[in-house]
Amino acid sequence: MNTKLKARSILKLLNKAYGRPKPFRRSEPTDELVRTVLSQNTNDRNSLAAFAVLKKNFQDWDALLKTNTHQIARLIKHAGLADIKAKRIRAALKEIKRREGRISLRRLKSLSIENSLGYLRSLNGVGPKTAACVLLFSFGRPVMPVDTHIFRVAKRLGLIDKKIDIEEAQEVLTDFTLRRGRLRRPSPEKTMNLIYEFHLGIIEHGRRTCKAHNLLCGTCVLYDLCRFKDKGHYKRTTR
Ligand code: SF4
C-alpha cells in the first residue's frame, strides 16, 4: 500500500474506532507551554489538575515568577516530578519575559515553523514535544507532537524507522499525515486538523490497544496495516 493510502486508511480506522476528536480550539501559547511541561511523564488527569491549581493560585504568569520554585513545586505535586517541572516552568517563563519584555509568545506568529521551533527549543526545559504542542495547539501550525505513545505505535506500524529520534519522528510523521491531505489541496485549517486528529487518534490507540505491554493485536483495527502484529501476547484468532 502506498504512503498516501496508508495515511488515509489509518486516520479513517482510528476515527471509526475511537470517534473523531472534539473540534480543535486554539489555546493561549504560554498556557500551552506550561500545560505541556506539566504533562511530562504523567497522565492527563494529574497534569490538568496541577494546571488548574496554578491558574487558581496565580492571576497571571507574572505572579508565578514572583513565587519561589519550592512553593510552585508544592502546588503542582499532583503532576509528579514537581521540583523539576517547577524549575522548568519558572525558567522558561522568566526567559520569555527577558527576551520579549513580557510573558508572551505572540511573536512566534510571524516566524517560520523552523524558527519558532528553534525559539521554543532554546528555552530551558522545553523539549521537542512541548515545542510542537505550542505550535500546533496555539498557532495551528502543521507540526506533529510526538509523545511516547505515538513514538511506540508509529514504530510498530512501520511509519518511522526504529533508529530515529523524537525530533526526526516529528518531521516524518508530519509529512506522512499531510500526504493524506494532499488528495484535495487542503486549506491551512484542514491541514492543521489532519495533524490534530492523527495525533489524538494514535495517542488513544496507544493507550487503549497498542499499549507498551500486553498489546491487544487481536482486536486492533490497524492489524492489517501493521508490521509488528502478533509480536505481543495476543494473536488474532479469527481473520
Ligand atoms: S496490530 Fe498490534 S502492534 Fe500493530 S498497531 Fe495493532 S496493537 Fe499495535
Side-chain angles (χ1 to χ4, degrees), residues 39-190:
S39 75
Q40 292 162 1
N41 301 95
T42 191
N43 59 37
D44 285 352
R45 191 164 51 93
N46 293 341
S47 64
L48 291 174
F51 182 75
V53 172
L54 289 185
K55 287 300 251 185
K56 196 174 158 202
N57 278 271
F58 302 113
Q59 197 183 2
D60 52 32
W61 297 131
D62 275 300
L64 179 142
L65 282 190
K66 290 177 191 140
T67 309
N68 70 45
T69 311
H70 182 65
Q71 279 174 285
I72 299 167
R74 275 181 47 206
L75 291 171
I76 60 170
K77 60 178 191 290
H78 289 92
L81 303 173
D83 290 331
I84 295 171
K85 290 178 184 178
K87 216 168 159 185
R88 284 182 180 166
I89 289 167
R90 208 169 177 285
L93 295 176
K94 195 173 168 191
E95 179 58 14
I96 293 169
K97 186 160 186 178
R98 190 190 70 75
R99 290 184 197 178
E100 308 300 324
R102 60 192 175 134
I103 304 178
S104 167
L105 288 168
R106 291 285 157 199
R107 190 157 78 84
L108 300 188
K109 244 179 160 177
S110 58
L111 299 184
S112 66
I113 289 178
E114 290 69 29
N115 288 342
S116 299
L117 284 172
Y119 181 106
L120 291 164
R121 290 297 315 280
S122 69
L123 298 170
N124 208 354
V126 173
K129 187 189 98 175
T130 303
C133 282
V134 172
L135 287 196
L136 176 66
F137 296 122
S138 299
F139 294 96
R141 312 295 284 278
V143 183
M144 175 75 71
V146 174
D147 72 348
T148 49
H149 293 296
I150 298 181
F151 202 44
R152 180 181 69 247
V153 176
K155 277 185 190 168
R156 287 175 178 169
L157 286 168
L159 306 182
I160 53 174
D161 192 274
K162 281 185 179 158
K163 290 179 188 149
I164 69 174
D165 62 24
I166 292 225
E167 230 156 347
E168 290 170 294
Q170 282 187 179
E171 271 180 45
V172 176
L173 290 175
T174 299
D175 188 58
F176 173 79
T177 311
L178 295 185
R179 280 173 196 245
R180 183 254 178 264
R182 281 186 198 127
L183 289 172
R184 289 185 202 144
R185 293 168 179 263
S187 62
E189 210 62 24
K190 188 168 176 190

